[in-house]
Amino acid sequence: MSQKKSSPPKGGPRTVEAGYHSPPSWVFPLLSLVAGGIVWLVISSGFGMVASIKFHSAGFLADFEWLTYGRVRAAGSTAFIYGFCIPAATAFALCQFASLSRSRLPLPGLVLIGTVFWNLGVLVGVGGILGGDLSGFDHLELPGYSLPILFTGFLALGVWGCLALHQRENSGLEIEHWFSLAALFWFAWILTTATLLLHTFPLRGVAQSIVSWWFTGNLTVVWMGLAGLGAVLSLVRKSTTVVNRNLGLFIFWTLLLFGSWVGIPAAAPVPAWMPVLSKVFTALLLVPVLGVFVLLARSRFRFIDGQGSGFAKLSAVMFVVFGLILSISAFFGFEKLTQFTWFNIALEQLGSYGFFGFALFAVIYSEVPHFSGFAWPFPKLIKAHLALGAIGLILAVLPLMAAGLVQGLDMSNPTVTMVDVARNTLKFLRPATLGELFIGIGHLLFLVNISFLVANFARRKATVLMARLHFPGAAEVQS
Amino acid sequence: MNYGPLVFLAAFLALSGSWVGFVVAPNFQLSTLQETNTIGAGVTYPLGRPGLAQQGLQVYRANGCVSCHSQMVVQERTMCEVSLTDFGTNFVAVESALRGINSNYNAQVINELKKSLPKTIVFDTTKQKADATVKLINQAGAKAQVVVTPSGSDIARGWGRRRSVAEDYLYDDPVMLGGLRVGPDLANLGSRLPDVNWHLRHLYAPQTEIANSTMPPYRFLFETRKIGSVPVAEPLNLPSGLVPTGYEVVPKPEAVALAQYLVSLRADVQLYSTPFSTPPAASGSGSGISSNAPAVK
């Protein structure tokens, strides 16, 4: 932290040497995509804090229409999923594909367009939510008018990813590439479906809810599973026993096959075969989860050394824990107790933050120095972020799960009034708010690091540009 | 070997499975869903919500009420009972029929029973057994009927008389079933709290209506104005101390629409898919509530 701003960062892999090594022109837009994601991450935890505080004192900021609980909560979760998760995961996938080829990649402008449109879409969407245009569909609170903007952005990024993949040198792909590619493809599919059937030509009645549950399940289990495992597996050390290709493919398959049916609650007022089918497949998720466990055990739980390896380890553990709880909770009538309670919120947080968020932090911390050519300016902040994130996650998830169980027991007893049910959960929600605070501080540290890194990068780029103007013939290495 | 295309094709098939199952199929199965007839009154259900209530649905959506409230009643099971309503004249035949059901029915017990009809004679049984019992009793010249009672904690809390079914939401857009119950389920709110003014006061300051309520207030749906500045339809009748003297609280149109929506939430008619036997009282109570359900109370 004592590093002077003026001196270029030392150490780290492939630091820019003397001479004008300028990175390929897609690097800067991709770096901005990641940095923009981290800005949204900080914004999301800000909204999350406001929503949490409103829980303990309902009158807090109650006179501001745009800060009412329902809107702030939706804005926070949208900023996290659409602001951070999707662009960061996509940036990682593109970076993965680009690194398969050593030749110059075409149309870097697509990445720029994608970055701009995506962030514009999120901005319009979150603004719309605060203005009261939230859709009312969980995990897809974005107003209908922001979705085409987002879709355009995603299309630009996806097309560029396919171009990069097309130019690769070896025809075979590693298993983690399959995960990332399928994640890109499936996200485009579920987003299109949900946009068309919930906004453009809205279905009638509960068919809307079914599509919305299907979208949520596929986003939080299949998409996050694919993209997150793609990230984590890329950091698993493969030297010991080659990460077994067949086992990897098996996990890939079973996750797609079973995960895509998850999400219709048992109590849903829909034709009875749907919740039953959903429950069966939720139980079957045990198969890919155990697969991941075996894979990790075979590689003796060793990860490639990098600044994100701490997050990678946690993320891998959280995947297994999340998957186990999710699939086991399909048995024993457990959902009778936990339906409509905080337990499900906690479980989702375990998956989408503990597993998926941490997987993204891991690859960002490990890979950004490689592809930008700049080391993290404040390595100590990474350790602090890891500690805050881990403590925050435990504080946020465990009490919330306890709250859910207490709430479930209370609700099943009709003599306990709903006011008391709500009040009995408050003592658990307080530590959870503290956990969110820790998580939020961690995000701020993350933002500090990426801002300085981007600034270093931009300064170098400007120097290169100036030099080019002054000495047009100067040697330049373009990879 | 390059099995890329193969992997891609198989992934495509695997994923399209759930798409066909949960997106295409329900659309076919539910697109034929229409108004049905209710049991008893035989009226069409549901009717669309009246215009103001439909606007209120949008206020409900815009303020994210769905993040704390569900709108689906869960029924854990359905209890079937047999109730003896009329003893008839043939004591001996009825006595032997009752003995066939339960050997504890001796003449003395039966005489007691006879005095306090209607009386439940078979508790918690299956539909088939209940039907068989009724047949037996009727053959003996007495009258009995099957009583179907949905049960579960939601129903015990008075959140509804039966579980929610797909028909209940036919005309709502968006449909907001909700997944977290910080507050009560609202699927049948209008049946238990039919007073629009109660809702307005509760929205303005929940604690005035429900002690220790943790629901956030929605004061921004109201205007505080100097009394007499503009002639208004109806200011809120709030406890003193909440509003400075000389001022009055007037609901904005959004608040009025939201309250109308809340009282229109009534999904308590009997359908053939969800029977329940508490017989509806004679209709025409004329409460003047506009709702998507025919007035049965």
Side-chain angles (χ1 to χ4, degrees), chain A residues 71 134 204 208 253 407 416, chain B residues 10 33 61-62 157 173 175:
Chain A
R71 295 190 194 174
L134 57 167
R204 277 184 353 150
Q208 289 186 357
W253 279 117
Q407 188 190 4
V416 183
Chain B
L33 194 70
R61 170 191 58 70
R157 282 181 183 277
D173 180 22
V175 175

Side-chain angles (χ1 to χ4, degrees), chain A residues 54-55 58-59 62-66 68-71 73 129 131-137 141 168 171-172 178 181-182 185-186 189 193 197-198 202-211 213-214 218 222 226 245-246 249 252-253 256-257 260-265 267-271 273-275 277-278 336 339-345 407 410-423 426, chain B residues 1-27 29-35 58-68 70-76 152-157 159 163-185 207 210-221 252 254:
Chain A
K54 276 168 173 283
F55 237 96
D63 289 317
F64 300 100
E65 177 164 9
W66 56 283
T68 191
Y69 177 80
R71 295 190 194 174
R73 194 204 59 82
I129 289 173
D133 287 341
L134 57 167
S135 69
F137 299 114
E141 302 280 9
R168 70 187 184 274
S171 62
W178 280 116
L181 184 62
F185 165 77
W186 191 229
W189 187 338
T193 302
L197 299 183
L198 298 178
L203 298 176
R204 277 184 353 150
V206 287
Q208 289 186 357
S209 310
I210 297 168
V211 169
W213 283 316
W214 172 83
N218 276 286
V222 180
L226 287 173
R245 205 184 159 87
N246 292 336
L249 268 179
F252 178 75
W253 279 117
L256 291 185
L257 206 56
S260 55
W261 297 85
V262 170
I264 313 266
V270 298
W273 60 269
M274 291 181 192
L277 206 61
S278 200
K336 280 223 171 78
Q339 65 188 355
F340 303 116
T341 71
W342 288 105
F343 187 89
N344 295 331
I345 311 272
Q407 188 190 4
D410 278 353
M411 275 201 300
S412 65
N413 177 0
T415 58
V416 183
T417 67
M418 281 308 277
V419 175
D420 288 337
V421 173
R423 294 216 155 248
L426 283 184
Chain B
M1 169 193 160
N2 176 12
Y3 31 23
L6 204 68
V7 175
F8 188 81
L9 186 71
F12 179 84
L13 287 179
L15 291 169
S16 53
S18 82
W19 189 74
V20 170
F22 282 165
V23 178
V24 180
N27 205 11
Q29 190 171 2
L30 295 171
S31 66
T32 53
L33 194 70
Q34 298 170 343
E35 298 92 348
Q58 299 308 327
V59 182
Y60 188 90
R61 170 191 58 70
N63 291 296
C65 309
V66 68
S67 52
C68 288
S70 63
Q71 287 191 17
M72 52 170 151
V73 176
V74 185
Q75 169 176 329
E76 269 143 43
S153 58
D154 287 11
I155 289 164
R157 282 181 183 277
W159 287 348
R163 68 187 162 89
S164 299
V165 290
E167 284 87 347
D168 297 335
Y169 311 92
L170 197 56
Y171 292 123
D172 287 339
D173 180 22
V175 175
M176 291 171 284
L177 298 175
L180 178 64
R181 285 176 177 168
V182 178
D185 186 274
Q207 287 82 0
I210 305 281
N212 292 326
S213 171
T214 54
M215 169 155 152
Y218 287 86
R219 290 193 289 267
F220 57 81
L221 296 174
K252 292 183 189 166
E254 297 97 291

Side-chain angles (χ1 to χ4, degrees), chain A residues 116-355:
Chain A
V116 169
F117 270 79
W118 185 271
N119 283 292
L120 184 71
V122 178
L123 189 66
V124 168
V126 170
I129 289 173
L130 294 177
D133 287 341
L134 57 167
S135 69
F137 299 114
D138 200 22
H139 288 86
L140 191 62
E141 302 280 9
L142 289 158
Y145 50 75
S146 64
L147 291 170
I149 315 177
L150 287 169
F151 197 81
T152 312
F154 193 77
L155 200 66
L157 295 172
V159 167
W160 191 81
C162 292
L163 289 177
L165 202 57
H166 191 68
Q167 286 223 345
R168 70 187 184 274
E169 263 120 55
N170 285 332
S171 62
L173 287 177
E174 292 298 324
I175 190 69
E176 60 258 30
H177 298 130
W178 280 116
F179 279 83
S180 297
L181 184 62
L184 277 182
F185 165 77
W186 191 229
F187 180 73
W189 187 338
I190 62 175
L191 187 68
T192 312
T193 302
T195 304
L196 289 178
L197 299 183
L198 298 178
H199 289 284
T200 320
F201 312 105
L203 298 176
R204 277 184 353 150
V206 287
Q208 289 186 357
S209 310
I210 297 168
V211 169
S212 161
W213 283 316
W214 172 83
F215 177 83
T216 299
N218 276 286
L219 184 76
T220 56
V221 175
V222 180
W223 181 78
M224 285 192 180
L226 287 173
L229 286 178
V232 170
L233 292 185
S234 75
L235 296 178
V236 170
R237 187 186 289 249
K238 287 147 200 135
S239 56
T240 41
T241 50
V242 197
V243 169
N244 190 317
R245 205 184 159 87
N246 292 336
L247 182 56
L249 268 179
F250 177 76
I251 296 170
F252 178 75
W253 279 117
T254 45
L255 182 66
L256 291 185
L257 206 56
F258 303 152
S260 55
W261 297 85
V262 170
I264 313 266
V270 298
W273 60 269
M274 291 181 192
V276 171
L277 206 61
S278 200
K279 186 171 167 160
V280 170
F281 282 111
T282 309
L284 283 173
L285 265 188
L286 205 56
V287 175
V289 170
L290 291 180
V292 171
F293 181 77
V294 171
L295 195 148
L296 289 170
R298 273 201 196 171
S299 55
R300 296 209 215 105
F301 209 67
R302 297 208 302 167
F303 288 83
I304 296 170
D305 290 332
Q307 281 156 301
S309 62
F311 277 116
K313 280 180 193 158
L314 279 182
S315 166
V317 173
M318 293 304 162
F319 177 82
V320 176
V321 175
F322 165 70
L324 282 180
I325 300 181
L326 182 69
S327 52
I328 289 175
S329 65
F331 298 101
F332 316 122
F334 193 64
E335 91 266 294
K336 280 223 171 78
L337 181 65
T338 58
Q339 65 188 355
F340 303 116
T341 71
W342 288 105
F343 187 89
N344 295 331
I345 311 272
L347 188 57
E348 207 224 292
Q349 199 163 1
L350 190 64
S352 60
Y353 194 81
F355 156 60

